[in-house]
Amino acid sequence: HKWNSYVEDKFFFHLKLNIALLFSLTADALAYKTAMASDHIALKILGYVPMIVTLVLWSFFAAHEFRQWQSNSATSKHTKTMAHLNNFWNFLDALSLVSIFAAYTCRGLEFLFGFLSVSEGIGETAIHLSSLVMAFALPVTYLNSLFYLQGFEEAGELIRMIIGIIKGVKVFLVILIVCMVGFAAGFFILYENGTDHQSPFFALFSSYTLMLGDFDVDNFRASSSFVSASSLFFAFTAFINIVMLNLLIAIMGDIFDKIQENAK
């Protein structure tokens, strides 16, 4: 009765606004550059519409988040903030709002002063910083919208399962990252001449793709020692791909069983 009387209408109102935010943010991200590059004044003006809608909706959700933060009973602002962000969905809410704000702040500075462009490694392609921030803001905002799926029985069960698994594998992921960094450093030393391991970052990225099964045996010949590179490759695939990933599957299965058992 309480759900029907007090919560349901508010929940679906917020859900509709969230869907509108997703549409307006996506439309703005995809169409803004095209609209601004157009010679037609009408198209340029139209290009501002999704941005204005997004900012209005952002203001609503930012005010709602602030009220939630303010309602915490803690006296210290730091304690209140930490308690608020300790909740996964509150953290994702804040991250989404901050990333959208950062993207539009960068865009405003680019519009006023024409700077904040950065160069990407391959071909030194210039890209606006606002586009880079928006590239992160979009997936974070979409992930944040999964909160509303918890209001539906079947989807809610899956979302709780995903959150439970993420929390359950945190320690495992730390161990996996430590191991991958070690192997990446080894690959970087052997491939100082170039290929996919031309920098520590690319070496780490290549180790990640190797974990997913993406590798080229011919690249071993570009290393300082073919035998050493092959040995490191076998050690990596045996430990990471076979032992660690199968352990991850076992851990996720165990967490799944526990969540199912608690649900009963």
Side-chain angles (χ1 to χ4, degrees), residues 43-59:
L43 191 59
K44 281 190 175 183
I45 295 172
L46 193 63
Y48 285 107
V49 173
M51 181 172 65
I52 294 168
V53 173
T54 299
L55 288 172
V56 170
L57 292 169
W58 179 91
S59 301

Side-chain angles (χ1 to χ4, degrees), residues 81-170:
T81 302
M82 295 307 295
H84 182 75
L85 295 179
N86 193 44
N87 179 280
F88 175 79
W89 293 111
N90 287 340
F91 174 77
L92 208 56
D93 257 331
L95 187 60
S96 172
L97 291 168
V98 168
S99 59
I100 292 172
F101 177 78
Y104 283 118
T105 301
C106 291
R107 184 184 287 180
L109 292 173
E110 289 163 359
F111 179 79
L112 291 173
F113 304 108
F115 65 95
L116 297 180
S117 292
V118 295
S119 295
E120 290 293 292
I122 302 171
E124 292 297 312
T125 305
I127 182 171
H128 288 297
L129 185 58
S130 61
S131 298
L132 293 179
V133 179
M134 186 65 81
F136 287 97
L138 279 166
V140 170
T141 306
Y142 271 83
L143 284 173
N144 186 43
S145 69
L146 295 179
F147 168 80
Y148 295 97
L149 292 180
Q150 293 182 107
F152 304 93
E153 188 175 349
E154 292 185 6
E157 187 177 342
L158 288 173
I159 297 300
R160 286 187 290 274
M161 196 80 67
I162 292 169
I163 300 301
I165 288 174
I166 291 172
K167 290 179 178 178
V169 300
K170 284 189 295 187

Side-chain angles (χ1 to χ4, degrees), residues 155-259:
E157 187 177 342
L158 288 173
I159 297 300
R160 286 187 290 274
M161 196 80 67
I162 292 169
I163 300 301
I165 288 174
I166 291 172
K167 290 179 178 178
V169 300
K170 284 189 295 187
V171 176
F172 172 85
L173 290 177
V174 171
I175 296 170
L176 180 63
I177 290 169
V178 169
C179 295
M180 286 187 62
V181 169
F183 277 104
F187 281 123
F188 174 67
I189 292 171
L190 290 174
Y191 285 88
E192 287 181 308
N193 295 329
T195 70
D196 293 336
H197 305 83
Q198 56 190 300
S199 71
F201 171 77
F202 277 106
L204 184 59
F205 183 76
S206 296
S207 296
Y208 175 74
T209 58
L210 177 58
M211 181 181 68
L212 302 177
D214 181 18
F215 62 91
D216 187 354
V217 178
D218 290 336
N219 285 341
F220 296 166
R221 303 187 187 283
S223 68
S224 303
S225 169
F226 178 81
V227 174
S228 299
S230 301
S231 301
L232 204 58
F233 168 78
F234 284 121
F236 182 95
T237 52
F239 182 68
I240 301 293
N241 292 39
I242 298 175
V243 177
M244 295 296 284
L245 293 187
N246 278 289
L247 177 60
L248 176 61
I249 293 169
I251 292 171
M252 291 171 69
D254 186 51
I255 294 169
F256 177 84
D257 292 337
K258 287 179 181 177
I259 294 173

Side-chain angles (χ1 to χ4, degrees), residues 19-75:
I19 292 171
L21 175 65
L22 292 179
F23 274 106
S24 62
L25 183 65
T26 305
D28 178 52
L30 296 178
Y32 178 78
K33 282 187 178 180
T34 305
M36 293 304 103
S38 174
D39 295 328
H40 299 287
I41 301 298
L43 191 59
K44 281 190 175 183
I45 295 172
L46 193 63
Y48 285 107
V49 173
M51 181 172 65
I52 294 168
V53 173
T54 299
L55 288 172
V56 170
L57 292 169
W58 179 91
S59 301
F60 172 83
F61 284 109
H64 177 71
E65 195 68 20
F66 179 73
R67 286 194 297 270
Q68 279 190 317
W69 173 83
Q70 217 171 23
S71 65
N72 192 292
S73 57
T75 53

